[in-house]
Amino acid sequence: MTLLITGGAGYIGSHVVFEALKDGREIVVLDDLSTGFRSRIPTSLPFEEVSLTDRESVFKVFEVHNITGVVHLAGKKQVGESMLRPEYYWNENVGGLQNLVAAMVEHGVKDFVFSSSASVYGEPDLGPDALISEGLECKPISPYGETKFEGERIAKEHAEKLDFKVAALRYFNVAGAGRPELGDQLPFNLVPIVFGALDRAEQPKVFGDDYPTPDGSCIRDYVHVQDLAEAHISALNYVENSQETFLPINVGAGHGVSVFEVIAEISRVSDIEISPVHAQRRKGDPAALVADVSRAAEILGWRSKKDLSDIVTSAWNAWSNNR
Ligand SMILES: NC(=O)c1ccc[n+]([C@@H]2O[C@H](COP(=O)([O-])OP(=O)(O)OC[C@H]3O[C@@H](n4cnc5c(N)ncnc54)[C@H](O)[C@@H]3O)[C@@H](O)[C@H]2O)c1
């Protein structure tokens, strides 16, 4: 009984690796180290430095290890880059997933937890107080979001035709660190972007201060990466024990925090005065994106436990540790 964790050397994947070990799982990690770090996870773990785009090598991994379930996090995640290199994103995220599920079919592996994203919803204009539930029509607006939605579609097809049991976890904004050495080092999400600006002695930009929200900045749903990692183990236990074939599940805190509130918390935790630069709204940034997390609570028995202070404090410690 071996669990394959793809992308296990990445920011979120490494947290999932430690949670899986805590859950007593035998695991093998597959990662091409394109954005991940081998040093994030124990050297004693079986590790396959393989790209999912290399079909032959993916199949070999399944021949060597007795894999019985897969948590699939490997992928490219930069929305902006996906606009510039859509084919690359399709090849990495969709081509990679196709090779992975083909190897699963070949070896009769059916339990599948997939890293999807709130980006599948696109920019729903539901008003600042509305919650996004899984029943909302998916209309991704970036190639990145499209690759996640296509990944879900392929997984669903395998569930319907080949009895895969799939939980597609639609993460909202992930931040924080479960351990200082596992922090997010890539400046593509608000918290590390602000940290990077502070390191360069620059002021962070806030895109849009005239949204119909209490302080005028965008509202997003921030979930602590440690809570998110625990959701993966709950999802895995669920697919292993259920007859349900395909289930998309939002993973967020279930309440929103504004960009100004995040920056104020970073200022408090870092003890650095911050005067954000007010910039124009960006295209494709809705006023609010907040998850309805009732399905995760009802079906997985999971709820996020950590708050914004935990997120920013742990992220700041990790950032300082990795400087
Ligand atoms: N970080 C977020 O806020 C967020 C939000 C929604 C969804 N996600 C999804 O979660 C997953 C993990 O994200 P992360 O934040 O940990 O990013 P990350 O870049 O830190 O981790 C991705 C890991 O996948 C590996 N990888 C990439 N392409 C690969 C390939 N072709 N073959 C094998 N390994 C490959 C990388 O080396 C890296 O270790 C991604 O699929 C991402 O799209 C992340």
Side-chain angles (χ1 to χ4, degrees):
M1 295 271 285
T2 301
L3 177 68
L4 173 66
I5 303 182
T6 76
Y11 164 53
I12 301 169
S14 55
H15 286 85
V16 174
V17 163
F18 282 103
E19 276 311 299
L21 290 174
K22 213 159 93 186
D23 195 49
R25 306 261 175 179
E26 197 170 298
I27 59 181
V28 55
V29 172
L30 179 157
D31 198 300
D32 68 358
L33 300 181
S34 52
T35 57
F37 302 96
R38 178 70 181 86
S39 58
R40 278 197 171 119
I41 50 175
T43 44
S44 55
L45 277 186
F47 183 82
E48 297 284 356
E49 188 174 340
V50 162
S51 170
L52 286 174
T53 57
D54 175 355
R55 192 179 175 95
E56 211 178 300
S57 299
V58 174
F59 271 70
K60 268 200 197 119
V61 170
F62 277 77
E63 279 155 28
V64 171
H65 303 275
N66 178 27
I67 293 164
T68 49
V70 176
V71 179
H72 173 44
L73 300 110
K76 301 294 182 281
K77 66 165 181 179
Q78 296 173 44
V79 173
E81 185 187 46
S82 80
M83 302 283 200
L84 302 172
R85 305 176 70 192
E87 280 174 23
Y88 175 67
Y89 270 69
W90 276 82
N91 188 42
E92 288 283 319
N93 292 358
V94 178
L97 181 135
Q98 280 169 327
N99 290 337
L100 179 63
V101 295
M104 290 173 68
V105 171
E106 176 85 6
H107 290 269
V109 181
K110 296 179 181 212
D111 295 342
F112 193 50
V113 177
F114 172 48
S115 287
S116 187
S117 159
S119 64
V120 298
Y121 296 116
E123 43 176 346
D125 195 9
L126 304 176
D129 299 323
L131 298 178
I132 298 175
S133 64
E134 293 87 350
L136 187 75
E137 191 186 352
C138 292
K139 288 186 188 165
I141 54 166
S142 68
Y144 168 71
E146 284 166 7
T147 64
K148 288 294 176 189
F149 191 44
E150 179 63 10
E152 285 196 11
R153 194 198 61 74
I154 293 168
K156 185 166 187 242
E157 193 177 69
H158 280 71
E160 286 165 358
K161 297 190 177 149
L162 296 164
D163 297 330
F164 271 39
K165 290 186 288 168
V166 183
L169 301 183
R170 294 177 176 166
Y171 314 160
F172 279 65
N173 292 57
V174 189
R179 301 163 181 234
E181 62 279 16
L182 302 186
D184 189 3
Q185 297 181 33
L186 304 175
F188 303 115
N189 290 337
L190 177 62
V191 173
I193 286 175
V194 175
F195 290 167
L198 296 183
D199 275 359
R200 296 188 301 277
E202 292 169 6
Q203 293 299 335
K205 281 187 185 154
V206 173
F207 296 97
D209 58 7
D210 55 353
Y211 283 97
T213 58
D215 66 17
S217 66
C218 287
I219 290 179
R220 296 290 179 267
D221 181 326
Y222 291 87
V223 60
H224 195 295
V225 66
Q226 184 62 41
D227 285 337
L228 174 64
E230 290 170 16
H232 286 75
I233 304 306
S234 304
L236 187 62
N237 285 322
Y238 169 74
V239 293
E240 285 171 345
N241 295 303
S242 101
Q243 300 306 315
E244 186 85 49
T245 52
F246 174 84
L247 201 62
I249 305 174
N250 286 341
V251 188
H255 57 83
V257 180
S258 78
V259 175
F260 283 131
E261 285 172 322
V262 173
I263 292 177
E265 186 60 18
I266 292 175
S267 175
R268 191 189 69 76
V269 167
S270 64
D271 205 18
I272 297 173
E273 209 171 298
I274 305 177
S275 310
V277 177
H278 294 231
Q280 293 277 326
R281 287 185 186 193
R282 286 181 305 196
K283 210 170 152 253
D285 257 355
L289 288 175
V290 180
D292 175 344
V293 289
S294 46
R295 181 176 286 180
E298 279 159 27
I299 292 185
L300 304 184
W302 175 91
R303 260 187 198 289
S304 75
K305 299 187 283 271
K306 297 186 187 296
D307 63 11
L308 183 64
S309 168
D310 298 322
I311 288 175
V312 172
T313 305
S314 62
W316 180 250
N317 289 341
W319 187 267
S320 306
N321 181 67
N322 289 320
R323 244 196 218 110

